[in-house]
Amino acid sequence: MSSPVQSGHEILVPLFDGDSAGAPVHVNWQQNLSQRKADYYALTADNITTGEQVPFFIAAEYYKSTTTANPNHITKVGQLVAGEGYKLKVDDRLQYGQKNAQGELRFIIYHDKERKPYQHRFIETAVGSATAGKAAQMAKAFGVGNVGNQIMDNFKGFIGDYLHTF
């Protein structure tokens, strides 16, 4: 089992490329008795500290090239590594989800923390809306061998848990 990303680690978020990032995934949830939704990009970031990869979800408005005026945009909070991406220190700006208290299948989310979706909303949405190639990439990032029921079986531990802040 890979070691979960921790506060203080450094990660490398890939440069925005509309072709390789694919279409954003639509995450829906209920908060304060109203339906909410937001678009996220499901990526794989490099954990520079450990040399491993980690699933990373970033709010579309913090990532797209057309939204760089946003004060929380990745270009404003990350350190540019030319030709590769943006280096971020894992801190309380980021949230995470995981399968259990041991940090199994931990993934990172960078978004407005006023949003309160359950962890499983990211998993279901990313896997369910992915193309075959992207689904295989997400399955690998979440540490499962093949796509399908096995993925959702692995994530039953996420049901009903809110995201955690580093």
Side-chain angles (χ1 to χ4, degrees):
M1 180 174 100
S2 63
S3 59
V5 66
Q6 302 286 328
S7 183
H9 284 188
E10 290 186 325
I11 59 170
L12 184 66
V13 179
L15 294 169
F16 179 78
D17 176 350
D19 293 332
S20 65
V25 295
H26 310 290
V27 176
N28 298 296
W29 72 97
Q30 188 173 28
Q31 182 176 329
N32 299 328
L33 302 176
S34 63
Q35 292 296 328
R36 306 283 178 100
K37 64 181 176 176
D39 289 341
Y40 291 82
Y41 285 94
L43 310 169
T44 301
D46 292 323
N47 184 337
I48 298 167
T49 306
T50 65
E52 297 171 343
Q53 293 189 316
V54 61
F56 186 84
F57 294 87
I58 184 169
E61 68 272 16
Y62 290 2
Y63 194 54
K64 293 188 302 189
S65 296
T66 58
T67 59
T68 56
N70 187 316
N72 294 310
H73 196 272
I74 191 74
T75 59
K76 306 273 192 300
V77 299
Q79 176 187 350
L80 178 63
V81 176
E84 298 206 26
Y86 293 93
K87 185 166 48 170
L88 282 177
K89 186 171 188 167
V90 176
D91 60 20
D92 63 0
R93 289 177 296 187
L94 303 173
Q95 293 189 302
Y96 65 94
Q98 60 190 13
K99 182 176 179 181
N100 56 35
Q102 290 73 39
E104 260 188 286
L105 306 174
R106 185 172 290 173
F107 59 96
I108 303 172
I109 300 96
Y110 179 49
H111 67 156
D112 179 350
K113 292 191 308 186
E114 293 298 313
R115 298 175 182 173
K116 305 289 183 202
Y118 287 126
Q119 297 178 39
H120 74 276
R121 296 293 181 192
F122 290 90
I123 308 304
E124 292 171 348
T125 303
V127 173
S129 66
T131 62
K134 187 75 166 175
Q137 179 184 2
M138 291 304 294
K140 181 180 176 201
F142 281 112
V144 293
N146 58 27
V147 183
N149 291 339
Q150 181 184 359
I151 293 174
M152 292 319 295
D153 288 345
N154 280 318
F155 298 111
K156 287 183 180 169
F158 290 99
I159 304 301
D161 288 337
Y162 286 107
L163 297 170
H164 308 278
T165 300
F166 280 102

